[in-house]
Amino acid sequence: MKKIALIICAGLMALVSCNKEIASPDQGVKEATPVVFNLTATHPGDTKAVKTGWETGDVVFVFFSTQAAPRYLEMKWNGTKWVSEGKNSLALTEDEHGYMTAVYLPFGSDATVTADGTDFKFSDTFETYYLTDRMFYYVTDGELSGTFTMKIPEGYVQFFEYVPSSYFDKEMELREPHLTPQGIASISANGTITHTAAVHGAPLPGYVYKKEGTDSGDWGFLFSGILAEEARNTATDYTFTMVYGGWDGSYFTQSFTGKTFYRGEQEGRALRLPDGGWEEITDYKPIDMGCEITLSGGDYKRVYWASRNLGASKDFPDADTDAARQATWGDYYAWGETEPYYTDGAYSASPVWATGKTGYDWDSYGFGPYTDLQKYNETDGLTTLEAADDAATVNVPPTGRWRMPTEAEWRALNNTSLYSKTWSSVNKGYTVTRKEGTGYCVGNSIFLPAAGERSYTELSQAGSSGYYWSASAYTSNLIRANHLYFTSSGFSTNNELRFNGMSIRPVHD
């Protein structure tokens, strides 16, 4: 590789520390000498989904352990060689030595670097894979040489989806519970890279990518994330959700059975998703409300809320009529039961009761009577509904993907600092909207109708109150379970006898 000369000190910006130190026996004056950079970087070439080498305009950012943030070096690939340029008064001296950390952001060539205290920080956070390497350096005879062997950090996998160029102006995201988006928060002087907070299952943002020198058939979106450790080199079922155009756009799903990713540091990292095989989701769209539940170790998981109640035919009412409102209400379920107690007339004063059911009472309840609970009792110690007893898991396709929210998840959605709630006196319910946060979730909303509840043979408070079961038993008295309760004057979590018929709003991780 031809040596590239870089004169860092010039005019009023000249720094004494940039000079090559040459002792003078009579006056000790340092003679200015340009530093010559002879740095190169190798590409791992294992990103088979899209990219296998350097492309014109690619930039490698180089940070020095001896330089204060934000002084750094940019190595830019011009198609045939690396051209280096110092940034923010980068100042190296003869015999200077330490460690330098190289970072390549595939979609961040235009990024700049700022100081975050003593750390380096990129001007934007890019939630995608990156390449990095670290090595010792020593400035000798005014020259700095070395080759970075760039590698993808442990755990990263990537997915490429071809889409027509007409989609490039749309927001696009990919979701899968085993995947976690990851971005660089900062880089310390010793080369330690600090990442953004891990939110397991959060959407992976799509980055528009066109392979250099190819036609439009190789254009599309690239998604990258960290694969859960328990899924690496293990045959696992994956269910992907693709969202075009934000929360009110188009939703698609595709599943892979027994797929194995990350079979080693250089294998199984990349997949080009099939152009076909995506099934559009028209019912129970998984809306990203930015709902994050705390996990052990300080991490979080993303929970998505269904766009409608279980059994409802509409997400939002489209008119101020009883029929329009009731289309959003859905069915009523006792806690732990997977079918309503009626076969017809959900909103009638005299519904047609199913065989063996006389109303929502202890005589009808499948785990009763209350004096001798058959499950979720003090003996079995179960306090959260199992999949076979979860109406959302059993009834919402694809089977097993959805579930009922826990009490903690209802409380998270009731966080007034993150969500606004607007009561509609016409539609009779609340629109819950994400008002703060990052990514695509700000402004996203769901409608929770006030469908009332069924108790014994009565449907009560329909149009004025909402009752939504959680999957969590009320541990202080196991004949009861926790639920969300609201009226036009506010939200709260409460508990109720398990036989009562309430609404269910499905969620999935």
Side-chain angles (χ1 to χ4, degrees):
M1 178 67 68
K2 182 179 178 182
K3 296 180 180 179
I4 308 300
L6 171 63
I7 301 178
I8 300 176
C9 307
L12 294 176
M13 296 301 294
L15 299 177
V16 173
S17 59
C18 293
N19 300 340
K20 180 178 177 181
E21 296 183 23
I22 300 178
S24 173
D26 50 357
Q27 56 183 352
V29 176
K30 297 178 180 179
E31 180 180 341
T33 303
V35 175
V36 177
F37 289 91
N38 186 15
L39 295 173
T40 63
T42 64
H43 194 286
D46 64 349
T47 56
K48 297 182 179 65
V50 184
K51 188 170 183 176
T52 57
W54 301 117
E55 295 177 356
T56 302
D58 281 346
V59 170
V60 173
F61 300 84
V62 184
F63 308 101
F64 297 88
S65 61
T66 58
Q67 296 292 304
R71 299 171 185 165
Y72 67 103
L73 181 77
E74 276 189 2
M75 299 167 53
K76 182 173 290 187
W77 183 250
N78 68 5
T80 58
K81 61 185 179 182
W82 291 104
V83 178
S84 299
E85 179 183 359
K87 297 287 185 177
N88 299 329
S89 301
L90 175 66
L92 302 180
T93 62
E94 181 68 14
D95 296 332
E96 182 176 325
H97 56 277
Y99 287 89
M100 50 185 175
T101 301
V103 176
Y104 164 70
L105 301 170
F107 302 97
S109 295
D110 294 332
T112 57
V113 176
T114 59
D116 183 12
T118 59
D119 295 341
F120 301 91
K121 185 176 183 179
F122 289 111
S123 54
D124 297 293
T125 299
F126 300 89
E127 291 187 321
T128 182
Y129 82 96
Y130 64 94
L131 307 179
T132 187
D133 189 31
R134 185 168 183 258
M135 67 177 174
F136 183 79
Y137 78 90
Y138 200 111
V139 179
T140 305
D141 294 330
E143 181 175 314
L144 179 59
S145 301
T147 298
F148 293 106
T149 303
M150 305 298 283
K151 298 175 288 294
I152 302 177
E154 182 179 358
Y156 269 96
V157 289
Q158 55 185 299
F159 307 89
F160 178 76
E161 171 71 4
Y162 163 75
V163 296
S165 58
S166 59
Y167 279 80
F168 286 175
D169 62 346
K170 299 179 182 293
E171 292 179 348
M172 191 167 177
E173 63 182 56
L174 183 71
R175 310 173 186 168
E176 212 291 325
H178 297 91
L179 299 171
T180 301
Q182 194 77 85
I184 296 177
S186 62
I187 304 167
S188 68
N190 66 11
T192 300
I193 294 177
T194 301
H195 296 101
T196 53
V199 181
H200 306 294
L204 309 178
Y207 290 89
V208 176
Y209 181 77
K210 177 186 180 298
K211 294 182 72 173
E212 187 175 38
T214 62
D215 59 25
S216 60
D218 288 302
W219 291 28
F221 282 88
L222 184 67
F223 308 88
S224 304
I226 302 294
L227 184 65
E229 289 189 25
E230 63 270 17
R232 299 176 192 175
N233 196 30
T234 301
T236 303
D237 293 345
Y238 292 88
T239 300
F240 292 95
T241 301
M242 189 82 75
V243 182
Y244 295 82
W247 74 279
D248 60 349
S250 301
Y251 289 67
F252 298 87
T253 184
Q254 186 168 182
S255 297
F256 296 89
T257 302
K259 186 72 176 177
T260 303
F261 290 128
Y262 204 83
R263 295 183 295 276
E265 289 191 3
Q266 303 302 322
E267 292 185 88
R269 283 182 175 266
L271 173 68
R272 178 160 183 165
L273 295 169
D275 296 341
W278 291 97
E279 178 183 351
E280 186 170 7
I281 301 172
T282 55
D283 290 336
Y284 307 105
K285 294 179 180 180
I287 303 299
D288 183 7
M289 298 290 289
C291 185
E292 296 174 0
I293 303 302
T294 304
L295 300 173
S296 60
D299 287 343
Y300 304 87
K301 72 173 181 179
R302 194 67 147 242
V303 175
Y304 299 94
W305 294 82
S307 57
R308 65 183 63 180
N309 283 356
L310 184 58
S313 59
K314 288 184 179 294
D315 297 343
F316 293 87
D318 54 10
D320 58 350
T321 64
D322 286 342
R325 286 193 287 266
Q326 289 172 2
T328 70
W329 287 1
D331 285 314
Y332 301 87
Y333 296 82
W335 191 81
E337 300 273 39
T338 59
E339 295 293 337
Y341 286 177
Y342 49 79
T343 59
D344 192 23
Y347 318 125
S348 169
S350 302
V352 179
W353 298 110
T355 302
K357 308 297 183 183
T358 57
Y360 284 81
D361 51 35
W362 285 118
D363 291 336
S364 299
Y365 187 57
F367 298 118
Y370 71 92
T371 55
D372 184 23
L373 293 175
Q374 303 302 301
K375 195 173 182 181
Y376 307 100
N377 53 38
E378 292 183 359
T379 300
D380 60 35
L382 298 173
T383 58
T384 303
L385 288 174
E386 294 185 321
D389 305 319
D390 188 312
T393 302
V394 172
N395 290 292
V396 182
T399 302
R401 178 180 182 183
W402 294 87
R403 58 176 176 79
M404 291 164 59
T406 63
E407 183 198 19
E409 288 161 351
W410 276 124
R411 282 192 276 106
L413 196 65
N414 193 30
N415 185 333
T416 56
S417 66
L418 298 178
Y419 300 97
S420 64
K421 302 172 185 67
T422 305
W423 173 265
S424 171
S425 58
V426 175
N427 295 328
K428 309 299 183 183
Y430 275 103
T431 297
V432 183
T433 305
R434 177 76 182 207
K435 62 182 181 180
E436 292 183 8
T438 58
Y440 302 132
C441 64
V442 176
N444 294 1
S445 62
I446 56 174
F447 178 71
L448 296 175
E453 71 167 338
R454 276 205 165 274
S455 186
Y456 299 98
T457 59
E458 302 296 322
L459 172 61
S460 61
Q461 302 180 68
S464 62
S465 300
Y467 294 82
Y468 286 77
W469 278 128
S470 79
S472 307
Y474 181 56
T475 55
S476 296
N477 187 349
L478 290 173
I479 69 173
R480 308 172 77 87
N482 295 302
H483 66 90
L484 172 74
Y485 170 70
F486 64 78
T487 65
S488 60
S489 60
F491 267 60
S492 66
T493 53
N494 209 326
N495 62 84
E496 187 60 272
L497 295 172
R498 285 159 50 170
F499 66 69
N500 284 285
M502 298 187 185
S503 303
I504 289 177
R505 178 57 62 99
V507 297
H508 82 79
D509 299 319

